[in-house]
Amino acid sequence: MGVRFKGWGTALPDRIVTNDELSKTLDTTNEWIIERTGIKERRIGGSALTLGTLAGQRALEDAGYGLDDIDFLVLATTTPDRITPATAPMIANAMGLHCPAMDLNAACSGFMYAVRTAYGLLETGQKRILVIGAEHLSRWVDWNDRTMAVLLADGAGATVLEYDPDGTDLLSFSLGADGSAADLLTCEHDGFFQMDGKEVFRRAVRVVVSSAEAAMAEAGVTADQIALVIPHQANLRIIQAATQRLGIDMERAVIVLDRYGNTSSASIPLAFFDARENGRVKAGEYALMTGFGAGMTWASAIVQWS
Ligand code: COA
């Protein structure tokens, strides 16, 4: 079955929070944050609804589609505006869409889980799916906790996936989940994000490598053929360790975490958009998209751009 990425859009809050600004209220420094994470600044503000709506509108415009062209909206978010209703119907309403709409929570793997879900929907006869990743992580950050405050941020990204009987951009997937690791990264109702950073780091590298290798094997693509890696943006050192183990030159990885921090479900479309803006997305070339997050969950896909 063929599926094409038809258009992309992003949305970021205007407010930039630098490491220096955080170090005024937290026991941390710009140097520590850059050295241990790669993050220099992040965007804070908006909500899953407002950011997701803007990213969705921009993706639709980029694809050249009207409101009636979309059959289904899948929103990946860890931070919906409310527990219920889901945020997706509210985004659909704000955009003027008239289609089924639902939220999906797979934490920082959310965007890739949503792409996989959209692929399945296209297999059953839908023609075009709007996939959005939108996060308002800052709402559930304890701004006195330096571990989480330096990492998490807000943003959104979206794409339109379209059924195509004649060819495909998406060659393979490898997804997984391990609930025995659930306590490593949590946010309770009315609570804040909490994390065992070291253990999440170790496991993140492992699952990115194993799922990327499985997706490459299924697609019949080798590491040296991967021209672009579009990874979840949690920590520069995780991306360095994973690409090194995969035997992929770090130069091929797209990095936006220096400017946007960890935006969970939004990070992969934000990274894709940056790569496209910089002329790094080339027809015929292979890319690895890979995410991991709380759950733990992970998801890799091999893409060949049309
Ligand atoms: N500023 C300054 N010092 C900090 C700090 C901060 N923001 N956060 C932790 N430290 C301190 C620790 O208290 C520790 O001090 P100690 O040696 O006196 O005990 C020291 O820095 C090293 O801490 P450690 O936890 O070993 O640092 P690290 O190199 O593992 O980096 C993370 C911490 C959180 C950046 C890193 O573990 C990480 O990125 N983990 C994965 C996170 C992730 O990907 N989460 C999202 C998944 S989607």
Side-chain angles (χ1 to χ4, degrees):
M1 203 210 42
V3 168
R4 302 290 191 194
F5 289 100
K6 296 303 279 193
W8 294 78
T10 63
L12 289 159
D14 293 332
R15 167 108 164 84
I16 297 172
V17 176
T18 63
N19 291 346
D20 280 335
E21 185 174 347
L22 288 179
S23 56
K24 284 185 189 142
T25 52
L26 290 168
D27 182 15
T28 190
T29 60
N30 179 41
E31 292 69 30
W32 190 96
I33 301 169
I34 292 178
E35 190 192 313
R36 305 311 293 165
T37 74
I39 298 168
K40 295 175 182 158
E41 58 185 42
R42 72 283 293 140
R43 303 296 187 95
I44 299 295
S47 74
L49 170 58
T50 60
L51 296 169
T53 300
L54 201 52
Q57 285 166 338
R58 288 173 175 165
L60 217 61
E61 204 175 302
D62 189 51
Y65 291 135
L67 296 170
D68 294 333
D69 295 323
I70 300 299
D71 295 337
F72 213 108
L73 166 59
V74 183
L75 169 70
T77 186
T78 317
T79 51
D81 282 36
R82 295 184 256 179
I83 289 175
T84 198
T87 303
M90 298 193 289
I91 290 180
N93 180 57
M95 288 181 65
L97 294 171
H98 301 285
C99 65
M102 66 172 187
D103 286 9
L104 177 159
N105 179 353
C108 301
S109 312
F111 186 78
M112 295 315 297
Y113 263 71
V115 167
R116 178 67 187 89
T117 301
Y119 186 89
L121 289 166
L122 293 167
E123 253 177 336
T124 63
Q126 312 282 333
K127 291 282 178 283
R128 285 181 209 102
I129 317 269
L130 178 59
V131 173
I132 303 175
E135 299 288 4
H136 186 197
L137 298 169
S138 67
R139 178 172 165 185
W140 283 278
V141 167
D142 173 358
W143 290 97
N144 296 310
D145 172 10
R146 65 181 181 179
T147 311
M148 300 312 298
V150 303
L151 299 174
L152 302 184
D154 306 326
T159 187
V160 178
L161 283 171
E162 183 179 67
Y163 172 75
D164 185 343
D166 299 323
T168 194
D169 288 0
L170 273 163
L171 303 182
S172 65
F173 290 103
S174 175
L175 281 75
D178 175 9
S180 72
D183 290 340
L184 293 180
L185 176 44
T186 59
C187 180
E188 303 298 334
H189 292 296
D190 299 323
F192 298 117
F193 283 106
Q194 289 185 310
M195 174 177 68
D196 176 346
K198 272 195 184 314
E199 190 54 24
V200 170
F201 191 114
R202 269 194 287 270
R203 288 173 186 248
V205 175
R206 280 209 296 269
V207 296
V208 165
V209 171
S210 59
S211 66
E213 284 176 344
M216 287 192 291
E218 198 191 316
V221 170
T222 54
D224 55 302
Q225 289 177 284
I226 299 291
L228 205 59
V229 182
I230 305 178
H232 169 51
Q233 309 280 314
N235 185 317
L236 186 63
R237 292 185 298 129
I238 292 177
I239 300 170
Q240 284 166 337
T243 50
Q244 190 188 3
R245 284 187 204 183
L246 285 165
I248 300 175
D249 186 352
M250 178 63 187
E251 293 289 298
R252 297 189 216 157
V254 183
I255 304 299
V256 294
L257 59 81
D258 54 337
R259 288 156 281 156
Y260 306 148
N262 179 348
T263 56
S264 192
S265 298
S267 72
I268 287 180
L270 283 169
F272 170 87
F273 200 81
D274 186 82
R276 197 185 73 173
E277 293 293 286
N278 288 300
R280 297 177 71 183
V281 176
K282 296 184 184 132
E285 289 191 347
Y286 296 104
L288 163 67
M289 301 172 107
T290 182
F292 61 89
M296 280 189 76
T297 58
W298 56 90
S300 291
I302 301 299
V303 173
Q304 187 178 27
W305 311 116
S306 55

